[in-house]
Every structure is written in structure tokens, then in C-alpha cells.
Amino acid sequence: MALWDGRFSGGPSEEMLRFSESLEVDLQMFEEDVAGSMAHATMLGEVGLIPQEEAAALRHGLSEVLEELRSGAWAPSLSHEDIHMAVESRLTEKVGALGGKLHTARSRNDQVATDVRLWLKGHLAILDQQLTRLLGALLDRVDSDGRTLIPGFTHLQRGQPIWLGHHLLAYAWMISRDRERLRDAARRQDRCPLGAGAMAGTPHPIDRHRTAELLGFSGVVENAMDAVASRDHMQEVTAACAIAMTHLSRMAEELVMWSTREFALVRMGESWTTGSSIMPQKRNPDAAELVRGKAARVYGDLQALLVMTKALPLAYNRDLQEDKAALFDAVNTTLASTSVMAGMWESLTVNRARYTSELAGDFLLATEIADWLVNRGLPFRDAHRVSGKLVAWCEARGVGFEALTAEVLAEHHPLLDGSALEWLDPVAAAERRTSTGGTAWVEVSRQVLQLRELLSL
Ligand code: ARG
């Protein structure tokens, strides 16, 4: 017997019940559902819609239902359809006909909207903690291993020498923006839909502001139809999660690459790797690969949430029941991936000597010759060509820049002399880049301070 069966004689088929129930997903928010009902009961009592003793009895019954759900002593069944009806049915089994008063001046539409906003408030706070942790891990890594010289790549070809710290800070800034974006989105969850009813409000003298206050919201959703029909607050959280997953996935990809024998720049902590069932030597970076793979899931969640509301007439439509699976998955996946990524950074080791000798004489110093000539007054375009000719000269002889002499330089341009060779030092090349945001260590340190300040907020 459903709670809405008055106008039915037979009721929905078994298949329809199975098709339409959402209990598995809803069970993720039973705490929020009960909290919403508690606040609603309190408000009903305070405004005099029900006697205070009845409100207290409802709250008492609800707290018992909550305990049962937590302990597993009682679990909803298929016929309950969703968590709202499950809780109300169980409450009614406990408190009798009084349970029927709880649904005064509310609908499942505003109930579910409230539950999800409460869920998001709680989970976004946890996600914020994990993003903060990851940011801290990256900054600690800059402090400990940042002064490791690596090639900076464009097109995955060696470009210019940089400090590892410079590279890691690029990610740190991305993560700090993810954190900012999700905090901003969190502010917009902070409005209570409860009391909107089905979509038109209610004739009963409820106090929506009081319910909002009891639930810890800083205000109400002003329009009852907006309260039950809008999902943009979920979409923006999921969009922010999708962007964060892009950052995590790029980082994961680099960790996968860097931990290959070919790059050999990092060694993953054992706890984030797995072995192979056939190749005994293997220690695979599965955690990073999974982060990369899970980004795809979150993009799918965002797509689902956007398409679900496109051309959906106001107000509530049952399509919207699908929102929670996508939203919860996006947030839970981003949360888990952020935590795993933090764990990987906290435990990996950096092979600091990896590129030290290799980068001396490497063509990734070609820009240095061009910049040296610019200092002597040559236009950059011409200087670029001269340096390019020197690369070609070396390549034709199968040598690197270490083979260059003052004479060879002079043959290539009258302005070039032996002192240009001093610029062909990768550490000096990185350290010369002191422009704001450049790789020079002063700039790396300055950004670490800036980010540490953000971190503390
Ligand atoms: N389980 C439903 C959902 O998640 C709750 C709202 C149901 N409302 C309705 N009018 N059938 O959207």
C-alpha cells in the first residue's frame, strides 16, 4: 500500500515499482531526509499547525527510525519507492496515525530538493578538506623536491629547463581554483527549498525561514517553483567536479609517465601501486590510471545532469529522480580521486638527480643563445634563426651544444663570442627566468608563500 494510493484501485505493477524505485541511491541521504523531517515537525509545532507534544512525538519516532537505518535494524523495501516514503511509513508504524501529520505543508518535491542540498553542504565541506590536503601535499613537495631540474615540455618535446617546483605549482594553482570554484558553488547550496510544497506553496501558516534556520541554511529558496524544479546548483557543482577531475587526470597522466623507466623521475609509493598476475617484475601505477579513467565518469555525470533538464517543463517531473545518481557519483568520485591523488603525492619519491647531467648541452638550451643575442641588440627573430643554425650544425655532426666553441659561435654570427657559452648552463637558464611567474626559484618561492596563504583560508 503506497502513501498516495487513494485514487487507485489496483496500483502499479511489480515491474513499474522496480523501475521507479530509487532506494539504493536515496539511502545515501537518509540522514539528511530524517533531519529535514525533524526540522519540519518542529516548525509545524512552533507555528501551531500541530500541538507541540505531537511535534515532539514525531521527532522521537524519527530519531528511532534514524537509529534503525544507521544500525541496519530496519531497511526499506521496494514498495516504499523512495527514502521519503520509507521514513514516513516506518514512522507511522511507530507513532500511528500521527505520522500522517508530518506531510502537512510539504511535498516530496521540496523534501528531495532539501535532502540533496543538505547532502551537498556536508560533502562539499569534505571535498574542500581533501582539496586543501592535496594542495598542501603539492606545496610540501615543492619545498622538499622543487629544486630538481627537469625539462619543461611543449608538444611533449623538450622545451626549456625548469624547476620541478615550477611544474608542480602550475597544478597547485589549478587545484586552488578548483577549491575556490567549489566553495563558490557551495554558497549557492545554502538556500532551503523546504515548504515550497509541490510547486505552489501552501495555504498553511508555515514558517519557511524557521525550517531553514533549524537545518542550518542561511536562507530560503525564494520561489516555490524554482525551489523544486531547478537543478543548476547541482549542475555547477558537477561542472566544477568535472574541471577538477581534468586537473587530477592530467596530473595522473604525468605521474604515470614520470614513473616509467623511460622518464624515471618519480617512484610511486608502494601503497598506490599494484602487481601483475603474469609479469613478476611489475609495479603498476593503477591509482593514477584509475583517477584518469574516473574523470570520464564525472564528465558523463555532468552530461546527464545537463541533458536531464534541457527542455524539461516546469516544475517537478519524475525525470529529476535521475539527478541524484549522477550528482552523488560525481561528488563521491571527485572526493575519492582527490584523496588518492593526495596520498600519491605524500608517498612518492623524486629522483632528483635524474636530469642533472643529461640537460647540460641539450638543445633545450637553444633559447638561451637567442636570448643572449637579444641582449647584444639583435632582433629576437634573427637571434632565433642563428641559434637554429647552431642546432643544425651540431645535429649534422651528431654532437650537442657542449661541442660548441668560441670559433664555431663566431662563424655563425659576428655578435656571438665565447661568453655566450656561459649561458649554456641549464640551472643558470632556469634561474635567469625571474619574470613574474617564471621558473626562477625566487618566483617559485614567492608563489609558494602566496598559495600557503590561500591554503590557510
Ligand atoms: N524520488 C523522487 C525523486 O527523487 C522524490 C520526488 C517524487 N515526487 C513525485 N512527485 N513523484 O525525485
Side-chain angles (χ1 to χ4, degrees), residues 4 20-22 26 29 81-85 107-113 116 198 231 316-324:
W4 41 249
S20 73
E21 62 90 17
S22 57
D26 284 11
M29 55 177 198
E81 194 179 305
D82 58 28
I83 190 65
H84 325 297
M85 293 204 290
S107 129
R108 279 186 293 157
N109 301 349
D110 54 341
Q111 236 189 310
V112 71
V116 173
R231 294 296 183 265
Y316 179 86
N317 297 270
R318 193 66 183 275
D319 315 39
L320 293 176
Q321 178 166 292
E322 293 294 317
D323 62 0
K324 287 169 288 302

PDB file of all heavy atoms in Angstrom, residues 4 20-22 26 29 81-85 107-113 116 198 231 316-324, ligand 1:
ATOM      1  N   TRP A   4       0.300   7.156  -1.397  1.00  0.00           N
ATOM      2  CA  TRP A   4      -0.506   8.011  -2.288  1.00  0.00           C
ATOM      3  C   TRP A   4      -1.627   7.255  -2.995  1.00  0.00           C
ATOM      4  O   TRP A   4      -2.105   7.676  -4.038  1.00  0.00           O
ATOM      5  CB  TRP A   4       0.393   8.673  -3.334  1.00  0.00           C
ATOM      6  CG  TRP A   4       1.468   7.786  -3.928  1.00  0.00           C
ATOM      7  CD1 TRP A   4       2.803   7.911  -3.727  1.00  0.00           C
ATOM      8  CD2 TRP A   4       1.304   6.663  -4.810  1.00  0.00           C
ATOM      9  NE1 TRP A   4       3.498   6.943  -4.415  1.00  0.00           N
ATOM     10  CE2 TRP A   4       2.604   6.166  -5.087  1.00  0.00           C
ATOM     11  CE3 TRP A   4       0.203   6.003  -5.385  1.00  0.00           C
ATOM     12  CZ2 TRP A   4       2.826   5.054  -5.919  1.00  0.00           C
ATOM     13  CZ3 TRP A   4       0.422   4.905  -6.216  1.00  0.00           C
ATOM     14  CH2 TRP A   4       1.731   4.435  -6.472  1.00  0.00           C
ATOM     15  N   SER A  20      10.697   2.245 -10.932  1.00  0.00           N
ATOM     16  CA  SER A  20      10.608   3.617 -10.426  1.00  0.00           C
ATOM     17  C   SER A  20      11.239   3.829  -9.059  1.00  0.00           C
ATOM     18  O   SER A  20      11.440   4.960  -8.657  1.00  0.00           O
ATOM     19  CB  SER A  20       9.140   4.061 -10.362  1.00  0.00           C
ATOM     20  OG  SER A  20       8.488   3.405  -9.294  1.00  0.00           O
ATOM     21  N   GLU A  21      11.581   2.755  -8.376  1.00  0.00           N
ATOM     22  CA  GLU A  21      12.132   2.984  -7.023  1.00  0.00           C
ATOM     23  C   GLU A  21      13.559   3.518  -7.110  1.00  0.00           C
ATOM     24  O   GLU A  21      14.275   3.274  -8.072  1.00  0.00           O
ATOM     25  CB  GLU A  21      12.061   1.700  -6.191  1.00  0.00           C
ATOM     26  CG  GLU A  21      12.857   0.539  -6.715  1.00  0.00           C
ATOM     27  CD  GLU A  21      14.269   0.490  -6.185  1.00  0.00           C
ATOM     28  OE1 GLU A  21      14.527   1.150  -5.179  1.00  0.00           O
ATOM     29  OE2 GLU A  21      15.103  -0.196  -6.808  1.00  0.00           O
ATOM     30  N   SER A  22      13.938   4.272  -6.095  1.00  0.00           N
ATOM     31  CA  SER A  22      15.270   4.895  -6.122  1.00  0.00           C
ATOM     32  C   SER A  22      15.984   4.687  -4.790  1.00  0.00           C
ATOM     33  O   SER A  22      16.815   5.499  -4.383  1.00  0.00           O
ATOM     34  CB  SER A  22      15.138   6.392  -6.406  1.00  0.00           C
ATOM     35  OG  SER A  22      14.296   6.993  -5.436  1.00  0.00           O
ATOM     36  N   ASP A  26      18.945   6.720  -2.870  1.00  0.00           N
ATOM     37  CA  ASP A  26      18.388   7.539  -1.781  1.00  0.00           C
ATOM     38  C   ASP A  26      18.997   7.211  -0.419  1.00  0.00           C
ATOM     39  O   ASP A  26      19.084   8.085   0.448  1.00  0.00           O
ATOM     40  CB  ASP A  26      16.871   7.318  -1.678  1.00  0.00           C
ATOM     41  CG  ASP A  26      16.105   8.050  -2.772  1.00  0.00           C
ATOM     42  OD1 ASP A  26      16.754   8.550  -3.705  1.00  0.00           O
ATOM     43  OD2 ASP A  26      14.868   8.104  -2.677  1.00  0.00           O
ATOM     44  N   MET A  29      21.301   9.344   1.439  1.00  0.00           N
ATOM     45  CA  MET A  29      20.921  10.619   2.072  1.00  0.00           C
ATOM     46  C   MET A  29      19.815  10.426   3.115  1.00  0.00           C
ATOM     47  O   MET A  29      19.019  11.318   3.339  1.00  0.00           O
ATOM     48  CB  MET A  29      20.509  11.647   1.020  1.00  0.00           C
ATOM     49  CG  MET A  29      19.412  11.174   0.089  1.00  0.00           C
ATOM     50  SD  MET A  29      18.913  12.454  -1.063  1.00  0.00           S
ATOM     51  CE  MET A  29      17.326  11.785  -1.559  1.00  0.00           C
ATOM     52  N   GLU A  81       9.317   2.782  -2.492  1.00  0.00           N
ATOM     53  CA  GLU A  81       9.607   3.641  -3.643  1.00  0.00           C
ATOM     54  C   GLU A  81      10.817   4.558  -3.425  1.00  0.00           C
ATOM     55  O   GLU A  81      11.742   4.542  -4.212  1.00  0.00           O
ATOM     56  CB  GLU A  81       8.390   4.459  -4.037  1.00  0.00           C
ATOM     57  CG  GLU A  81       8.499   5.115  -5.392  1.00  0.00           C
ATOM     58  CD  GLU A  81       7.229   5.897  -5.747  1.00  0.00           C
ATOM     59  OE1 GLU A  81       6.122   5.322  -5.719  1.00  0.00           O
ATOM     60  OE2 GLU A  81       7.363   7.097  -6.060  1.00  0.00           O
ATOM     61  N   ASP A  82      10.765   5.377  -2.411  1.00  0.00           N
ATOM     62  CA  ASP A  82      11.929   6.239  -2.173  1.00  0.00           C
ATOM     63  C   ASP A  82      12.130   6.456  -0.678  1.00  0.00           C
ATOM     64  O   ASP A  82      11.324   6.012   0.147  1.00  0.00           O
ATOM     65  CB  ASP A  82      11.828   7.562  -2.943  1.00  0.00           C
ATOM     66  CG  ASP A  82      10.578   8.360  -2.592  1.00  0.00           C
ATOM     67  OD1 ASP A  82      10.072   8.235  -1.455  1.00  0.00           O
ATOM     68  OD2 ASP A  82      10.109   9.122  -3.461  1.00  0.00           O
ATOM     69  N   ILE A  83      13.183   7.135  -0.325  1.00  0.00           N
ATOM     70  CA  ILE A  83      13.555   7.288   1.093  1.00  0.00           C
ATOM     71  C   ILE A  83      12.513   8.092   1.866  1.00  0.00           C
ATOM     72  O   ILE A  83      12.262   7.844   3.044  1.00  0.00           O
ATOM     73  CB  ILE A  83      14.975   7.917   1.238  1.00  0.00           C
ATOM     74  CG1 ILE A  83      15.480   7.844   2.687  1.00  0.00           C
ATOM     75  CG2 ILE A  83      14.998   9.362   0.775  1.00  0.00           C
ATOM     76  CD1 ILE A  83      15.710   6.442   3.196  1.00  0.00           C
ATOM     77  N   HIS A  84      11.869   9.030   1.174  1.00  0.00           N
ATOM     78  CA  HIS A  84      10.886   9.879   1.873  1.00  0.00           C
ATOM     79  C   HIS A  84       9.701   9.054   2.355  1.00  0.00           C
ATOM     80  O   HIS A  84       9.257   9.157   3.490  1.00  0.00           O
ATOM     81  CB  HIS A  84      10.404  11.005   0.951  1.00  0.00           C
ATOM     82  CG  HIS A  84      11.471  11.502   0.033  1.00  0.00           C
ATOM     83  ND1 HIS A  84      12.605  12.088   0.519  1.00  0.00           N
ATOM     84  CD2 HIS A  84      11.600  11.460  -1.315  1.00  0.00           C
ATOM     85  CE1 HIS A  84      13.391  12.391  -0.514  1.00  0.00           C
ATOM     86  NE2 HIS A  84      12.808  12.021  -1.628  1.00  0.00           N
ATOM     87  N   MET A  85       9.209   8.192   1.463  1.00  0.00           N
ATOM     88  CA  MET A  85       8.056   7.368   1.844  1.00  0.00           C
ATOM     89  C   MET A  85       8.473   6.248   2.780  1.00  0.00           C
ATOM     90  O   MET A  85       7.698   5.833   3.634  1.00  0.00           O
ATOM     91  CB  MET A  85       7.360   6.839   0.596  1.00  0.00           C
ATOM     92  CG  MET A  85       6.735   7.993  -0.178  1.00  0.00           C
ATOM     93  SD  MET A  85       5.373   7.520  -1.232  1.00  0.00           S
ATOM     94  CE  MET A  85       6.232   6.612  -2.469  1.00  0.00           C
ATOM     95  N   SER A 107       5.867  18.513   0.315  1.00  0.00           N
ATOM     96  CA  SER A 107       5.690  17.515  -0.733  1.00  0.00           C
ATOM     97  C   SER A 107       7.019  16.792  -0.854  1.00  0.00           C
ATOM     98  O   SER A 107       8.032  17.246  -0.331  1.00  0.00           O
ATOM     99  CB  SER A 107       5.307  18.235  -2.031  1.00  0.00           C
ATOM    100  OG  SER A 107       6.130  17.842  -3.092  1.00  0.00           O
ATOM    101  N   ARG A 108       7.031  15.655  -1.532  1.00  0.00           N
ATOM    102  CA  ARG A 108       8.325  15.002  -1.725  1.00  0.00           C
ATOM    103  C   ARG A 108       9.224  15.842  -2.619  1.00  0.00           C
ATOM    104  O   ARG A 108      10.439  15.704  -2.590  1.00  0.00           O
ATOM    105  CB  ARG A 108       8.111  13.611  -2.341  1.00  0.00           C
ATOM    106  CG  ARG A 108       7.736  12.572  -1.305  1.00  0.00           C
ATOM    107  CD  ARG A 108       7.684  11.222  -1.956  1.00  0.00           C
ATOM    108  NE  ARG A 108       6.587  11.127  -2.919  1.00  0.00           N
ATOM    109  CZ  ARG A 108       6.548  10.265  -3.931  1.00  0.00           C
ATOM    110  NH1 ARG A 108       7.548   9.444  -4.147  1.00  0.00           N
ATOM    111  NH2 ARG A 108       5.498  10.223  -4.734  1.00  0.00           N
ATOM    112  N   ASN A 109       8.590  16.726  -3.404  1.00  0.00           N
ATOM    113  CA  ASN A 109       9.401  17.543  -4.309  1.00  0.00           C
ATOM    114  C   ASN A 109      10.314  18.509  -3.549  1.00  0.00           C
ATOM    115  O   ASN A 109      11.492  18.651  -3.873  1.00  0.00           O
ATOM    116  CB  ASN A 109       8.499  18.326  -5.270  1.00  0.00           C
ATOM    117  CG  ASN A 109       7.628  17.405  -6.111  1.00  0.00           C
ATOM    118  OD1 ASN A 109       7.843  16.194  -6.128  1.00  0.00           O
ATOM    119  ND2 ASN A 109       6.648  17.964  -6.805  1.00  0.00           N
ATOM    120  N   ASP A 110       9.750  19.180  -2.553  1.00  0.00           N
ATOM    121  CA  ASP A 110      10.616  20.093  -1.779  1.00  0.00           C
ATOM    122  C   ASP A 110      11.475  19.301  -0.788  1.00  0.00           C
ATOM    123  O   ASP A 110      12.579  19.702  -0.435  1.00  0.00           O
ATOM    124  CB  ASP A 110       9.813  21.197  -1.072  1.00  0.00           C
ATOM    125  CG  ASP A 110       8.683  20.671  -0.201  1.00  0.00           C
ATOM    126  OD1 ASP A 110       8.264  19.507  -0.402  1.00  0.00           O
ATOM    127  OD2 ASP A 110       8.210  21.409   0.689  1.00  0.00           O
ATOM    128  N   GLN A 111      10.953  18.135  -0.384  1.00  0.00           N
ATOM    129  CA  GLN A 111      11.720  17.277   0.521  1.00  0.00           C
ATOM    130  C   GLN A 111      13.021  16.812  -0.134  1.00  0.00           C
ATOM    131  O   GLN A 111      14.108  16.952   0.437  1.00  0.00           O
ATOM    132  CB  GLN A 111      10.872  16.030   0.839  1.00  0.00           C
ATOM    133  CG  GLN A 111      10.627  15.797   2.296  1.00  0.00           C
ATOM    134  CD  GLN A 111       9.967  14.438   2.507  1.00  0.00           C
ATOM    135  OE1 GLN A 111       8.971  14.101   1.848  1.00  0.00           O
ATOM    136  NE2 GLN A 111      10.506  13.679   3.428  1.00  0.00           N
ATOM    137  N   VAL A 112      12.884  16.270  -1.347  1.00  0.00           N
ATOM    138  CA  VAL A 112      14.075  15.725  -2.003  1.00  0.00           C
ATOM    139  C   VAL A 112      15.046  16.858  -2.334  1.00  0.00           C
ATOM    140  O   VAL A 112      16.274  16.712  -2.196  1.00  0.00           O
ATOM    141  CB  VAL A 112      13.714  14.878  -3.251  1.00  0.00           C
ATOM    142  CG1 VAL A 112      13.223  15.725  -4.413  1.00  0.00           C
ATOM    143  CG2 VAL A 112      14.903  14.046  -3.689  1.00  0.00           C
ATOM    144  N   ALA A 113      14.506  18.004  -2.711  1.00  0.00           N
ATOM    145  CA  ALA A 113      15.379  19.140  -3.033  1.00  0.00           C
ATOM    146  C   ALA A 113      16.167  19.562  -1.792  1.00  0.00           C
ATOM    147  O   ALA A 113      17.351  19.905  -1.878  1.00  0.00           O
ATOM    148  CB  ALA A 113      14.550  20.306  -3.567  1.00  0.00           C
ATOM    149  N   VAL A 116      18.968  16.886  -0.874  1.00  0.00           N
ATOM    150  CA  VAL A 116      20.159  16.950  -1.727  1.00  0.00           C
ATOM    151  C   VAL A 116      21.015  18.164  -1.369  1.00  0.00           C
ATOM    152  O   VAL A 116      22.245  18.088  -1.317  1.00  0.00           O
ATOM    153  CB  VAL A 116      19.775  16.967  -3.222  1.00  0.00           C
ATOM    154  CG1 VAL A 116      21.006  17.196  -4.086  1.00  0.00           C
ATOM    155  CG2 VAL A 116      19.111  15.655  -3.607  1.00  0.00           C
ATOM    156  N   ALA A 198       4.441  21.231  -3.471  1.00  0.00           N
ATOM    157  CA  ALA A 198       4.623  20.602  -4.779  1.00  0.00           C
ATOM    158  C   ALA A 198       5.262  21.572  -5.761  1.00  0.00           C
ATOM    159  O   ALA A 198       6.112  21.219  -6.558  1.00  0.00           O
ATOM    160  CB  ALA A 198       3.297  20.104  -5.320  1.00  0.00           C
ATOM    161  N   ARG A 231      17.829  22.673 -11.101  1.00  0.00           N
ATOM    162  CA  ARG A 231      18.944  21.777 -10.786  1.00  0.00           C
ATOM    163  C   ARG A 231      20.283  22.435 -11.128  1.00  0.00           C
ATOM    164  O   ARG A 231      21.308  21.765 -11.144  1.00  0.00           O
ATOM    165  CB  ARG A 231      18.803  20.459 -11.569  1.00  0.00           C
ATOM    166  CG  ARG A 231      17.576  19.612 -11.160  1.00  0.00           C
ATOM    167  CD  ARG A 231      17.683  19.145  -9.718  1.00  0.00           C
ATOM    168  NE  ARG A 231      16.583  18.291  -9.295  1.00  0.00           N
ATOM    169  CZ  ARG A 231      15.484  18.718  -8.657  1.00  0.00           C
ATOM    170  NH1 ARG A 231      15.339  20.018  -8.396  1.00  0.00           N
ATOM    171  NH2 ARG A 231      14.551  17.873  -8.270  1.00  0.00           N
ATOM    172  N   TYR A 316       8.272  20.148 -11.183  1.00  0.00           N
ATOM    173  CA  TYR A 316       8.879  18.829 -10.993  1.00  0.00           C
ATOM    174  C   TYR A 316       8.392  17.834 -12.039  1.00  0.00           C
ATOM    175  O   TYR A 316       7.211  17.783 -12.375  1.00  0.00           O
ATOM    176  CB  TYR A 316       8.567  18.286  -9.585  1.00  0.00           C
ATOM    177  CG  TYR A 316       9.167  16.904  -9.364  1.00  0.00           C
ATOM    178  CD1 TYR A 316      10.473  16.775  -8.930  1.00  0.00           C
ATOM    179  CD2 TYR A 316       8.440  15.743  -9.634  1.00  0.00           C
ATOM    180  CE1 TYR A 316      11.046  15.516  -8.753  1.00  0.00           C
ATOM    181  CE2 TYR A 316       9.003  14.485  -9.467  1.00  0.00           C
ATOM    182  CZ  TYR A 316      10.305  14.379  -9.024  1.00  0.00           C
ATOM    183  OH  TYR A 316      10.874  13.136  -8.866  1.00  0.00           O
ATOM    184  N   ASN A 317       9.313  17.058 -12.550  1.00  0.00           N
ATOM    185  CA  ASN A 317       8.992  15.903 -13.394  1.00  0.00           C
ATOM    186  C   ASN A 317       9.831  14.750 -12.876  1.00  0.00           C
ATOM    187  O   ASN A 317      10.944  14.957 -12.381  1.00  0.00           O
ATOM    188  CB  ASN A 317       9.361  16.163 -14.853  1.00  0.00           C
ATOM    189  CG  ASN A 317       8.559  17.324 -15.444  1.00  0.00           C
ATOM    190  OD1 ASN A 317       7.487  17.139 -15.998  1.00  0.00           O
ATOM    191  ND2 ASN A 317       9.082  18.535 -15.303  1.00  0.00           N
ATOM    192  N   ARG A 318       9.313  13.555 -13.059  1.00  0.00           N
ATOM    193  CA  ARG A 318       9.986  12.403 -12.465  1.00  0.00           C
ATOM    194  C   ARG A 318      11.375  12.158 -13.049  1.00  0.00           C
ATOM    195  O   ARG A 318      12.208  11.500 -12.426  1.00  0.00           O
ATOM    196  CB  ARG A 318       9.110  11.154 -12.617  1.00  0.00           C
ATOM    197  CG  ARG A 318       9.535   9.965 -11.773  1.00  0.00           C
ATOM    198  CD  ARG A 318       9.386  10.232 -10.276  1.00  0.00           C
ATOM    199  NE  ARG A 318       9.859   9.131  -9.470  1.00  0.00           N
ATOM    200  CZ  ARG A 318       9.139   8.050  -9.141  1.00  0.00           C
ATOM    201  NH1 ARG A 318       7.873   7.963  -9.539  1.00  0.00           N
ATOM    202  NH2 ARG A 318       9.656   7.085  -8.426  1.00  0.00           N
ATOM    203  N   ASP A 319      11.615  12.720 -14.242  1.00  0.00           N
ATOM    204  CA  ASP A 319      12.962  12.636 -14.822  1.00  0.00           C
ATOM    205  C   ASP A 319      14.005  13.004 -13.767  1.00  0.00           C
ATOM    206  O   ASP A 319      15.113  12.456 -13.737  1.00  0.00           O
ATOM    207  CB  ASP A 319      13.159  13.632 -15.972  1.00  0.00           C
ATOM    208  CG  ASP A 319      12.012  13.683 -16.967  1.00  0.00           C
ATOM    209  OD1 ASP A 319      10.844  13.601 -16.541  1.00  0.00           O
ATOM    210  OD2 ASP A 319      12.309  13.831 -18.165  1.00  0.00           O
ATOM    211  N   LEU A 320      13.626  13.973 -12.942  1.00  0.00           N
ATOM    212  CA  LEU A 320      14.589  14.553 -11.997  1.00  0.00           C
ATOM    213  C   LEU A 320      15.063  13.562 -10.939  1.00  0.00           C
ATOM    214  O   LEU A 320      16.051  13.805 -10.262  1.00  0.00           O
ATOM    215  CB  LEU A 320      13.982  15.803 -11.332  1.00  0.00           C
ATOM    216  CG  LEU A 320      13.763  16.980 -12.294  1.00  0.00           C
ATOM    217  CD1 LEU A 320      13.068  18.129 -11.584  1.00  0.00           C
ATOM    218  CD2 LEU A 320      15.084  17.439 -12.903  1.00  0.00           C
ATOM    219  N   GLN A 321      14.371  12.465 -10.815  1.00  0.00           N
ATOM    220  CA  GLN A 321      14.830  11.454  -9.861  1.00  0.00           C
ATOM    221  C   GLN A 321      16.224  10.935 -10.245  1.00  0.00           C
ATOM    222  O   GLN A 321      16.975  10.482  -9.397  1.00  0.00           O
ATOM    223  CB  GLN A 321      13.833  10.288  -9.808  1.00  0.00           C
ATOM    224  CG  GLN A 321      14.259   9.180  -8.872  1.00  0.00           C
ATOM    225  CD  GLN A 321      13.122   8.215  -8.585  1.00  0.00           C
ATOM    226  OE1 GLN A 321      12.143   8.590  -7.936  1.00  0.00           O
ATOM    227  NE2 GLN A 321      13.226   7.009  -9.085  1.00  0.00           N
ATOM    228  N   GLU A 322      16.513  11.004 -11.549  1.00  0.00           N
ATOM    229  CA  GLU A 322      17.809  10.516 -12.024  1.00  0.00           C
ATOM    230  C   GLU A 322      18.964  11.425 -11.616  1.00  0.00           C
ATOM    231  O   GLU A 322      20.134  11.078 -11.784  1.00  0.00           O
ATOM    232  CB  GLU A 322      17.790  10.367 -13.555  1.00  0.00           C
ATOM    233  CG  GLU A 322      16.848   9.274 -14.064  1.00  0.00           C
ATOM    234  CD  GLU A 322      17.304   7.872 -13.651  1.00  0.00           C
ATOM    235  OE1 GLU A 322      18.506   7.594 -13.742  1.00  0.00           O
ATOM    236  OE2 GLU A 322      16.457   7.074 -13.214  1.00  0.00           O
ATOM    237  N   ASP A 323      18.647  12.606 -11.125  1.00  0.00           N
ATOM    238  CA  ASP A 323      19.717  13.576 -10.828  1.00  0.00           C
ATOM    239  C   ASP A 323      20.688  13.081  -9.763  1.00  0.00           C
ATOM    240  O   ASP A 323      21.899  13.296  -9.853  1.00  0.00           O
ATOM    241  CB  ASP A 323      19.126  14.947 -10.426  1.00  0.00           C
ATOM    242  CG  ASP A 323      18.276  14.897  -9.145  1.00  0.00           C
ATOM    243  OD1 ASP A 323      18.119  13.810  -8.544  1.00  0.00           O
ATOM    244  OD2 ASP A 323      17.744  15.955  -8.751  1.00  0.00           O
ATOM    245  N   LYS A 324      20.152  12.407  -8.764  1.00  0.00           N
ATOM    246  CA  LYS A 324      20.996  12.056  -7.610  1.00  0.00           C
ATOM    247  C   LYS A 324      22.086  11.045  -7.958  1.00  0.00           C
ATOM    248  O   LYS A 324      23.217  11.166  -7.477  1.00  0.00           O
ATOM    249  CB  LYS A 324      20.125  11.551  -6.457  1.00  0.00           C
ATOM    250  CG  LYS A 324      19.352  12.695  -5.792  1.00  0.00           C
ATOM    251  CD  LYS A 324      18.295  12.218  -4.839  1.00  0.00           C
ATOM    252  CE  LYS A 324      17.104  11.596  -5.535  1.00  0.00           C
ATOM    253  NZ  LYS A 324      16.418  12.490  -6.499  1.00  0.00           N
TER     254      LYS A 324
HETATM  255  N1  ARG B   1      12.069  10.042  -5.515  1.00  0.00           N
HETATM  256  C1  ARG B   1      11.690  11.298  -6.044  1.00  0.00           C
HETATM  257  C2  ARG B   1      12.912  11.996  -6.653  1.00  0.00           C
HETATM  258  O1  ARG B   1      13.966  11.647  -6.322  1.00  0.00           O
HETATM  259  C3  ARG B   1      11.131  12.187  -4.988  1.00  0.00           C
HETATM  260  C4  ARG B   1      10.143  13.167  -5.501  1.00  0.00           C
HETATM  261  C5  ARG B   1       8.943  12.443  -6.022  1.00  0.00           C
HETATM  262  N2  ARG B   1       7.945  13.355  -6.424  1.00  0.00           N
HETATM  263  C6  ARG B   1       6.909  12.959  -7.167  1.00  0.00           C
HETATM  264  N3  ARG B   1       6.070  13.887  -7.494  1.00  0.00           N
HETATM  265  N4  ARG B   1       6.763  11.748  -7.580  1.00  0.00           N
HETATM  266  O2  ARG B   1      12.799  12.896  -7.430  1.00  0.00           O
END
